[in-house]
Amino acid sequence: MSYSLSEDVVSMIKQLIQQISGLNNESEIFKHIEKNVTAHLKSADTLYFTNQKELDRIIESLCRKFEFHGFSTQARELKHVYDKLTPTDLSKHDRTNRLNVIKFLLGVSESPTNNVYKYPQRFEKGDEEEIIDWPKYLREGIPQWSPPPDDDSSDDWSDILNESVSLSEEKDVIDCSNVNVHDLQTICEQYEGEDCFQRRHNVKVNLLRSVQSQWFNRDRVCFKPNSQDKDANVALKWDDYIQHFTRGLIPIQSSNIISEYKIMREVIWQLYEPHSSYCFAFHGNLLLPKLNVTISSVRMKAFESFLYEFVPYINWLQILKEFHESLARKTNDQIVFPPDTYRSYDFAIQTIIQPIFEILQATEDNIKAQETTVTLLTLAHELRPLFQMVKILKDIHSSVILDFKDNSPLHCATTLLSRLHKGLLYSSSKLEQDLFLTLYLHSLYKYFTIINSWLCRDILEDNTGEFVIADENPKDSHVLFYQTLVKSQSQSIVSTNKSKIQQGEQDWQMEFAIKNLDDNAKSDSLLNLICTQVLQIGKNIHLLRLLGKLHLVPEFTGMYKESFYEAYIEKILKNISVYFDAKNDNDEGLEVCDTDILPLSPTFVFPATCPDECKYLTEMDRLENLVDTSDGFLVQAFQSFFIKNPSVKKEEPEKSLFEKITKLTKTLFPVQQIIEHVFVELLKERFSTSGLMVKNVLINDYNLEKQFSFLKNVFLFNDDLIFPLYRHIFVQLDSGGVWGNHTWLTSLLQDIIMDAYPNFYKECTIEVKDSWKLCRDALKACKMINIQYRINWPVNIIIRDEHMNMYKNLFQFILKIKWALYTLNHLYFSELEPKGKPAKQQHKSLRVLISKLKILRFGLVNIMSNIQHYILGHIFNKFSNKFNKALEEAYDLESLMKAHNDFIQSLHKTCYEFQEYNNTSYGFYLLLYLVRKLKAMWRNIQDIKDEELEKCERSYLMCHKSIDPIINPTGYYAYMIED
């Protein structure tokens, strides 16, 4: 292969020849030498270009090799020296030179790990002699001399006298302390007159001999076996046969034959760190076996196909290793932070594959010892069952992991958890399910840590943004709380948060918001439990903290020593052991047998002397009865002869979670049910009381039940408590007096409710629209009246602003019914038939008209009474009973909010639908119009027209026919009025 040389390389060649030979550039000999050198360089087998990334990878691989062989100290020293030689502040020229030197040293290195074994004394780091700075030592204690001030001195020269400027900072200063002139002269004399090409050849030969025990970089390697058996020399005989058959007419490359021992060592090293070697080479990003390498007992093609047995193992481990390294990798342009759930998942992978590397290390030690026969076949047989698990692990990894650089942490974390959870259901073998379960439980660590912090301290710490619930609360509230836990200061925190919520009118429900999740995350059962039950408990804890009652929560008081995650794992293992009727290692550790109790103090050897065969042991044979044990010095001096020290029982290393699960499980089992059941059970066990505490605090400290009763009495006319108020309004409207003075109405209302609700009446006022003075229509007046009631925090969390608007709408609706009944009941017959005028003296047509008015009044009184009974009796009692039952069964803040919300929503919806039913034809609004029309006709009977009265009668019949099935659902009847 021929390479073209750049102009810089050609120029450097000329300078090198001139410096070595001293010849003129234009001489024939100089040109001949230059031509010869350039020809050798162009036809060279390899060219090397410095690349720091490649050297970083080689040094890192070499450090791992040292650590793998047990030389961690040498590995750290190698890394330290390499970092010291290649600092970041070097110039490009100096960096290139140093990298070339490092590459040269790596090339001439010969079996570094073996040399550490053979010559350990060479690698012992001796104590460095302390270098004493004698000038500094001699100047110690002597005041620094400074020249006397000079009037002609200038500030421009002041920097010269500054001793802080060191000579080492000058760029042009050269340190020549290590240069030995005699050595340079000796070197020059040694090479004087010697041919430069001969020297180059000698250097090349010496270099090739010293690299990897002389064979690693050869083009042709052949290690012949000691045996002459034909089965041990298959590759050699096959090459001889091919050469004999072709007679040299076809250029066929012979096989490179190396020992099986070297192949096995190389395979194990590739499992740790894939790299280009004598047996394997990278083709792009794929590591494949080389084509011309074999062992003496196997043909080249057969051996190549056999090496493919190990290639998948190497690639699987490399995929998992690259994921592990990507979590800690940082780029200069942008630092990408992976989700912590990925780190927990990676920890699970490392714990699963760590035993495999321990087995590989034991296998390599066995190979190096050569005490037993180990071949590539036995190695492949040992690795095959191990890497069956690695294959399943790699397939799981490929199916659950997303690139965190292209996806949000939330999407990565939820996808990982949902896919692992789903994989538990579709596992096809026990091993696969055990792997899924181990990875899933480890991956839950971050989520459960967040839950533990949130539900124990009311701090939702999600720095990476991977949790499904976002904390939108004011950030200073947590700081205020944790400044102190004193009760008095807790009360100040409550008042502070109360004022903030009241002033801002914040939507309390949205302070903990569920993030946008994809379909897979929404369908995951455990994530749904977090979004529902954990969210409810979190709101309870948050409210208790704002109320200063968080110290009542058992988790906050430190009742449980284990974290939420530790307790969850323990319960999972316990449930699995119960399912399979197996022993749990955690339970065994709690039971201590008498035989396991070891003596804590030394015991005397019994007997002290060797008795005769026929002699029984007596008390005088006891050592403590023969030796003065009170002398502590004697006992200490001769304790090895007559004192037996207690044996210390060795503690076995704790098994990993995967090992515990593998030991407990026997076959496939419904693990999903256990996962969800244990999660719900643990939430109830630790945090169920928080909801009841919220309910008790709101009822006992903030009179929640009295608030509900107050709203029913004032806005829903329960028990007709505000009868004096609306009667006064109707009387004033009927008499044409002043009815809309809100000050007087507010005073009247407060006087009415003061005795029943002394704590609430001050917050209740009446507002009337400004145009009330121009209004004499009672129906319009009902729309102008509103009761304003301010609900303080924290009750306004349950009784919200939208609920108060519903209460106001219901108040106006019921007020219209009350007005209709009041108006109808105050249409007296004496107004139609004055006393002293018998009916016989009236005209017949007038008597018929009065009769029709009476019948219409009776009909309207009947239907309006039925409507009042239906709304305030049937509907109100129905929903009120449900509300009372739900309020009694409520166990947390969410259930309290749901109970009240269902009550007011259902009542408002039913009344609104009834009010709007046939609102443009024969419905409730037409009945109110008929009441107003009847009142006008009743007061002005002389202006009544027959057609108008008949129209009112027909309208009433149509309204009755339309509304009666609603207000009388058990039966339908109609009043027929004969002409």
Side-chain angles (χ1 to χ4, degrees):
M1 182 177 292
S2 178
Y3 300 94
S4 60
L5 302 179
S6 63
E7 295 180 359
D8 294 338
V9 175
V10 174
S11 176
M12 293 174 64
I13 292 173
K14 291 180 179 181
Q15 293 179 10
L16 179 62
I17 297 173
Q18 185 179 10
Q19 290 181 2
I20 295 176
S21 62
L23 298 174
N24 188 9
N25 296 347
E26 302 299 332
S27 62
E28 294 294 333
I29 301 177
F30 184 89
K31 292 182 180 179
H32 176 74
I33 296 174
E34 179 187 355
K35 181 178 179 181
N36 196 355
V37 171
T38 54
H40 276 79
L41 292 177
K42 288 182 180 180
S43 60
D45 295 334
T46 58
L47 286 176
Y48 174 72
F49 299 95
T50 56
N51 186 348
Q52 186 164 3
K53 290 184 178 180
E54 180 183 356
L55 287 179
D56 291 344
R57 185 182 62 81
I58 294 173
I59 293 296
E60 185 178 355
S61 174
L62 194 56
C63 290
R64 288 198 186 97
K65 185 176 181 182
F66 273 107
E67 291 178 351
F68 173 72
H69 290 286
F71 305 127
S72 57
T73 304
Q74 284 74 14
R76 291 194 299 269
E77 186 68 19
L78 176 62
K79 182 64 175 175
H80 172 70
V81 173
Y82 176 71
D83 294 339
K84 188 176 180 180
L85 284 175
T86 57
T88 57
D89 56 349
L90 282 177
S91 63
K92 183 178 181 181
H93 177 72
D94 294 340
R95 180 180 297 276
T96 303
N97 292 337
R98 294 195 181 190
L99 292 177
N100 289 332
V101 173
I102 295 173
K103 178 62 178 178
F104 174 77
L105 293 175
L106 291 174
V108 299
S109 61
E110 180 179 353
S111 301
T113 55
N114 290 338
N115 285 325
V116 176
Y117 274 119
K118 295 178 182 179
Y119 313 105
Q121 66 277 6
R122 297 184 182 180
F123 299 91
E124 292 180 357
K125 187 175 181 181
D127 297 334
E128 298 182 357
E129 296 183 0
E130 182 181 0
I131 300 175
I132 302 176
D133 189 358
W134 288 105
K136 183 178 179 181
Y137 175 75
L138 295 175
R139 287 197 307 266
E140 190 172 309
I142 301 175
Q144 184 176 358
W145 177 85
S146 59
D150 191 358
D151 296 337
D152 297 334
S153 62
S154 176
D155 293 338
D156 298 336
W157 300 93
S158 60
D159 292 339
I160 300 177
L161 301 177
N162 190 356
E163 294 186 358
S164 62
V165 179
S166 176
L167 289 177
S168 60
E169 299 178 3
E170 298 292 337
K171 296 182 179 179
D172 298 334
V173 176
I174 301 176
D175 187 6
C176 301
S177 59
N178 297 326
V179 179
N180 194 331
V181 179
H182 177 72
D183 294 340
L184 292 177
Q185 185 177 359
T186 305
I187 294 172
C188 294
E189 291 176 356
Q190 180 181 356
Y191 288 100
E192 185 176 358
E194 186 177 352
D195 188 6
C196 61
F197 301 107
Q198 183 64 30
R199 292 202 309 270
R200 177 181 178 275
H201 175 72
N202 296 335
V203 170
K204 181 178 180 181
V205 171
N206 294 330
L207 177 62
L208 293 177
R209 286 178 178 176
S210 64
V211 173
Q212 293 292 343
S213 299
Q214 302 180 5
W215 64 270
F216 191 81
N217 282 346
R218 292 182 187 176
D219 296 334
R220 179 78 174 90
V221 177
C222 182
F223 289 92
K224 295 183 179 180
N226 296 327
S227 175
Q228 299 298 326
D229 189 14
K230 62 178 182 179
D231 292 335
N233 296 273
V234 171
L236 295 172
K237 292 183 177 298
W238 177 257
D239 287 346
D240 294 341
Y241 170 75
I242 294 298
Q243 294 295 336
H244 180 267
F245 182 79
T246 59
R247 303 291 181 178
L249 299 178
I250 301 176
I252 298 177
Q253 187 178 8
S254 300
S255 302
N256 288 318
I257 300 175
I258 60 177
S259 65
E260 194 169 1
Y261 171 83
K262 292 181 173 61
I263 294 291
M264 290 188 292
R265 294 287 304 277
E266 182 62 34
V267 167
I268 293 177
W269 192 10
Q270 291 288 347
L271 292 173
Y272 277 90
E273 181 65 31
H275 59 281
S276 295
S277 62
Y278 203 81
C279 304
F280 296 89
F282 279 102
H283 293 270
N285 294 327
L286 296 177
L287 184 71
L288 300 176
K290 286 187 176 180
L291 302 179
N292 59 342
V293 179
T294 184
I295 58 178
S296 60
S297 60
V298 180
R299 290 172 50 196
M300 184 173 59
K301 286 295 182 183
F303 184 75
E304 179 190 353
S305 62
F306 180 75
L307 285 183
Y308 274 99
E309 170 82 13
F310 304 102
V311 171
Y313 305 161
I314 300 171
N315 293 330
W316 297 339
L317 289 178
Q318 183 63 15
I319 290 174
L320 299 178
K321 180 182 177 183
E322 289 177 354
F323 174 74
H324 173 72
E325 293 176 349
S326 67
L327 298 180
R329 188 180 301 130
K330 296 181 180 179
T331 59
N332 296 327
D333 299 336
Q334 183 181 4
I335 300 177
V336 181
F337 295 97
D340 289 341
T341 304
Y342 273 17
R343 301 185 189 277
S344 303
Y345 166 82
D346 176 66
F347 177 78
I349 291 179
Q350 299 306 317
T351 56
I352 292 173
I353 65 176
Q354 182 60 32
I356 296 178
F357 287 104
E358 294 176 357
I359 295 175
L360 289 177
Q361 185 175 358
T363 303
E364 186 178 26
D365 293 339
N366 188 24
I367 293 172
K368 289 190 298 183
Q370 298 186 2
E371 296 177 354
T372 58
T373 302
V374 182
T375 63
L376 280 170
L377 287 175
T378 57
L379 179 63
H381 180 72
E382 291 178 3
L383 295 182
R384 191 174 294 117
L386 291 178
F387 282 87
Q388 180 184 2
M389 178 185 67
V390 179
K391 181 181 184 303
I392 299 175
L393 187 63
K394 177 259 175 187
D395 293 339
I396 295 174
H397 175 79
S398 302
S399 62
V400 301
I401 291 297
L402 301 177
D403 189 358
F404 61 86
K405 298 178 182 178
D406 301 329
N407 297 274
S408 65
L410 173 65
H411 185 47
C412 292
T414 54
T415 301
L416 173 64
L417 294 176
S418 59
R419 290 180 179 179
L420 287 175
H421 196 191
K422 187 177 181 180
L424 292 170
L425 180 63
Y426 297 101
S427 300
S428 58
S429 64
K430 171 187 176 299
L431 177 59
E432 185 178 3
Q433 190 180 56
D434 292 346
L435 288 173
F436 265 114
L437 181 58
T438 303
L439 295 173
Y440 183 66
L441 293 180
H442 275 290
S443 301
L444 286 173
Y445 176 77
K446 175 61 178 180
Y447 267 43
F448 281 16
T449 303
I450 295 175
I451 292 174
N452 190 76
S453 174
W454 184 19
L455 302 186
C456 295
R457 299 183 297 151
D458 189 33
I459 299 179
L460 203 159
E461 295 178 335
D462 183 20
N463 299 325
T464 55
E466 58 191 285
F467 196 55
V468 293
I469 301 174
D471 183 6
E472 299 179 357
N473 294 289
K475 299 303 179 184
D476 59 340
S477 61
H478 300 294
V479 178
L480 287 173
F481 174 69
Y482 284 102
Q483 287 178 352
T484 180
L485 293 178
V486 183
K487 184 177 179 180
S488 60
Q489 296 191 4
S490 297
Q491 296 298 330
S492 66
I493 295 165
V494 174
S495 61
T496 302
N497 291 320
K498 186 189 301 184
S499 61
K500 287 184 179 180
I501 294 178
Q502 288 177 353
Q503 293 173 6
E505 296 294 333
Q506 298 178 1
D507 188 358
W508 195 86
Q509 282 181 310
M510 296 304 293
E511 291 180 352
F512 292 104
I514 300 176
K515 298 180 181 178
N516 295 325
L517 306 177
D518 58 357
D519 295 336
N520 293 329
K522 291 179 180 178
S523 60
D524 187 81
S525 57
L526 190 67
L527 293 179
N528 284 330
L529 290 175
I530 295 176
C531 295
T532 54
Q533 296 192 19
V534 174
L535 179 60
Q536 294 176 12
I537 298 173
K539 288 182 178 180
N540 296 334
I541 298 296
H542 181 63
L543 182 58
L544 287 174
R545 184 185 66 79
L546 296 177
L547 297 175
K549 303 292 184 179
L550 191 57
H551 60 279
L552 301 176
V553 181
E555 276 285 351
F556 182 79
T557 58
M559 178 182 296
Y560 302 103
K561 296 181 180 180
E562 295 179 333
S563 66
F564 188 84
Y565 176 77
E566 294 172 349
Y568 181 76
I569 296 298
E570 184 178 352
K571 284 183 175 293
I572 287 288
L573 296 177
K574 185 176 181 180
N575 279 265
I576 294 176
S577 63
V578 171
Y579 182 87
F580 288 104
D581 194 17
K583 291 183 179 180
N584 189 2
D585 294 339
N586 296 337
D587 296 338
E588 292 177 359
L590 300 177
E591 299 177 0
V592 181
C593 301
D594 296 336
T595 57
D596 296 336
I597 301 176
L598 299 176
L600 300 180
S601 59
T603 58
F604 294 99
V605 177
F606 180 82
T609 59
C610 182
D612 298 334
E613 294 181 359
C614 60
K615 180 182 177 181
Y616 295 99
L617 297 177
T618 63
E619 287 297 321
M620 290 303 299
D621 292 323
R622 292 182 177 274
L623 184 62
E624 54 266 36
N625 294 328
L626 296 178
V627 180
D628 184 9
T629 58
S630 62
D631 192 341
F633 293 101
L634 290 177
V635 173
Q636 182 68 23
F638 297 97
Q639 64 176 353
S640 59
F641 295 97
F642 56 86
I643 291 182
K644 182 189 300 183
N645 290 321
S647 59
V648 180
K649 187 177 181 181
K650 295 183 179 180
E651 295 183 359
E652 297 181 357
E654 185 179 359
K655 295 182 179 180
S656 64
L657 181 60
F658 177 69
E659 293 174 341
K660 294 177 181 178
I661 293 175
T662 305
K663 183 179 179 181
L664 291 176
T665 57
K666 299 177 182 179
T667 183
L668 293 173
F669 68 103
V671 65
Q672 280 190 324
Q673 300 178 3
I674 296 178
I675 288 175
E676 298 167 10
H677 172 72
V678 169
F679 184 72
V680 175
E681 180 183 355
L682 194 58
L683 287 177
K684 290 181 179 179
E685 176 185 333
R686 294 199 171 195
F687 305 105
S688 59
T689 57
S690 62
L692 296 176
M693 290 177 187
V694 171
K695 178 182 178 182
N696 294 333
V697 169
L698 291 177
I699 291 177
N700 298 329
D701 297 350
Y702 295 93
N703 302 320
L704 181 62
E705 288 184 337
K706 290 186 178 180
Q707 291 277 8
F708 292 145
S709 177
F710 174 79
L711 293 175
K712 291 178 182 178
N713 289 334
V714 174
F715 289 89
L716 304 181
F717 295 77
N718 188 32
D719 297 333
D720 218 8
L721 180 65
I722 61 170
F723 170 75
L725 174 67
Y726 67 78
R727 179 179 177 85
H728 168 77
I729 295 174
F730 296 157
V731 170
Q732 294 295 325
L733 285 171
D734 197 18
S735 62
V738 178
W739 64 272
N741 189 334
H742 65 88
T743 303
W744 196 91
L745 293 177
T746 299
S747 177
L748 177 60
L749 176 61
Q750 292 181 356
D751 291 340
I752 294 172
I753 63 178
M754 181 186 301
D755 296 334
Y757 301 99
N759 297 326
F760 304 147
Y761 75 94
K762 292 183 179 179
E763 305 293 338
C764 192
T765 59
I766 293 181
E767 290 186 357
V768 184
K769 293 184 178 180
D770 296 337
S771 58
W772 67 269
K773 295 180 180 180
L774 303 176
C775 179
R776 286 293 177 262
D777 188 351
L779 290 178
K780 293 181 180 179
C782 291
K783 296 180 180 180
M784 293 183 178
I785 301 174
N786 258 328
I787 297 180
Q788 298 294 335
Y789 179 63
R790 187 181 68 180
I791 299 179
N792 297 325
W793 185 86
V795 180
N796 59 1
I797 297 172
I798 299 175
I799 307 173
R800 305 178 62 80
D801 291 341
E802 56 266 27
H803 297 156
M804 291 307 303
N805 293 331
M806 296 179 187
Y807 277 110
K808 294 175 184 178
N809 294 334
L810 291 172
F811 171 79
Q812 293 181 351
F813 169 66
I814 299 174
L815 188 63
K816 295 174 184 177
I817 298 176
K818 294 292 185 180
W819 168 82
L821 288 173
Y822 171 83
T823 302
L824 292 173
N825 290 328
H826 285 75
L827 294 179
Y828 301 113
F829 292 157
S830 59
E831 295 178 356
L832 298 178
E833 299 175 348
K835 294 182 179 180
K837 292 185 178 180
K840 295 181 179 180
Q841 298 180 1
Q842 295 177 350
H843 194 271
K844 182 180 179 180
S845 60
L846 181 60
R847 291 199 305 270
V848 173
L849 182 62
I850 292 174
S851 177
K852 289 182 177 182
L853 288 175
K854 291 180 179 179
I855 293 174
L856 181 58
R857 174 186 175 276
F858 280 122
L860 289 174
V861 169
N862 177 65
I863 194 169
M864 292 306 298
S865 299
N866 288 339
I867 291 175
Q868 177 178 247
H869 176 73
Y870 172 72
I871 297 297
L872 299 182
H874 175 69
I875 297 299
F876 176 78
N877 290 332
K878 173 185 175 182
F879 293 124
S880 182
N881 292 333
K882 289 183 178 180
F883 171 61
N884 293 333
K885 183 179 179 181
L887 184 62
E888 183 180 356
E889 296 176 352
Y891 53 87
D892 62 353
L893 178 63
E894 191 71 20
S895 56
L896 285 174
M897 297 172 64
K898 185 178 184 302
H900 177 258
N901 182 72
D902 292 345
F903 164 70
I904 191 62
Q905 288 275 8
S906 303
L907 183 60
H908 182 268
K909 179 182 178 182
T910 304
C911 294
Y912 178 79
E913 290 176 352
F914 176 81
Q915 185 177 1
E916 298 297 325
Y917 178 73
N918 286 341
N919 57 352
T920 58
S921 57
Y922 303 101
F924 178 72
Y925 289 113
L926 184 57
L927 285 176
L928 296 177
Y929 170 77
L930 291 176
V931 172
R932 184 172 59 185
K933 189 68 176 176
L934 177 61
K935 177 183 177 182
M937 291 188 297
W938 197 279
R939 301 288 171 82
N940 300 291
I941 191 172
Q942 65 277 5
D943 298 333
I944 298 176
K945 297 180 180 179
D946 294 338
E947 298 82 3
E948 187 177 8
L949 183 58
E950 291 177 359
K951 184 179 180 181
C952 291
E953 291 176 348
R954 289 193 301 270
S955 298
Y956 163 73
L957 292 176
M958 295 302 297
C959 290
H960 188 278
K961 184 178 180 181
S962 175
I963 294 177
D964 192 68
I966 300 175
I967 61 178
N968 294 294
T970 56
Y972 173 73
Y973 59 92
Y975 293 100
M976 300 298 296
I977 302 178
E978 299 178 357
D979 293 335

